[in-house]
Amino acid sequence: MSERVALIPASYVIFRRGASVLLQLRQGTGYMDGNWATAAAGHVEANESAEAAALREALEELGVQIAAEDLVPLTAMHRFLPRGQAIEQRVDFFFSTERWSGNPRIMEPHKAADLQWFPLDELPPLLVPHERYVLERLVAGVAPIISLETSMPGSYVNP
């Protein structure tokens, strides 16, 4: 009998201002600290949709509110190790927004050291690998509806 898969879901919000994206510098999380990452991201909680998690994370991490109609679904990514334990499989829901109310600021200084805008065509060298994958495809206009990632270092472990 095969083992059932238990996916761990997370939502990510890519804040866009023209051809730039807002990124936070991770610190104190134990996962990819010292790397830049999408400005708002986190696990989907029990009885919460991926969209609701994205809206909640934007408020918790950046102190901004996004209207549901301003949250644009981009892609879903299934991350796993081909021969890894089923419990280590992740599904990430990426959204983007160009509209929000409030000024983005670091709300969790124990998890983020900095917050900066970067041109999409000049992303920082240290960027969480699976997030870089999505951002590079966004710039090229080819973000797939669903993507599978098994080869990137750290691609199956989520914050």
Side-chain angles (χ1 to χ4, degrees):
M1 183 170 184
S2 65
E3 187 178 2
R4 289 193 182 251
V5 173
L7 291 173
I8 299 171
S11 291
Y12 298 71
V13 182
I14 298 170
F15 284 77
R16 297 190 65 177
R17 187 173 63 190
S20 295
V21 292
L22 186 62
L23 301 177
Q24 66 169 309
L25 183 59
R26 298 182 63 84
Q27 77 170 1
T29 68
Y31 174 75
M32 310 258 2
D33 291 334
N35 281 263
W36 291 92
T38 54
H43 292 113
V44 177
E45 295 179 356
N47 302 311
E48 183 178 53
S49 69
E51 179 185 67
L55 298 173
R56 175 182 50 76
E57 290 291 345
L59 184 59
E60 288 177 2
E61 294 188 13
L62 300 174
V64 300
Q65 292 188 316
I66 303 170
E69 61 268 15
D70 292 327
L71 198 61
V72 179
L74 289 178
T75 189
M77 177 182 286
H78 182 197
R79 294 185 291 136
F80 63 100
L81 286 176
R83 287 172 289 289
Q85 295 179 355
I87 195 66
E88 289 302 320
Q89 295 201 31
R90 311 289 172 140
V91 62
D92 301 320
F93 301 97
F94 286 86
F95 299 88
S96 72
T97 189
E98 294 183 6
R99 292 176 42 142
W100 56 87
S101 60
N103 292 317
R105 63 195 181 283
I106 296 173
M107 300 292 290
E108 298 175 324
H110 57 289
K111 293 182 180 179
D114 200 0
L115 189 65
Q116 289 185 30
W117 289 96
F118 288 90
L120 271 167
D121 59 357
E122 294 178 35
L123 295 170
L126 292 177
L127 180 61
V128 175
H130 68 278
E131 297 180 33
R132 175 182 296 283
Y133 178 89
V134 171
L135 291 171
E136 286 175 348
R137 278 145 189 84
L138 180 63
V139 119
V142 293
I145 294 172
I146 296 176
S147 59
L148 302 174
E149 280 309 311
T150 61
S151 60
M152 292 181 284
S155 69
Y156 61 93
V157 179
N158 204 17

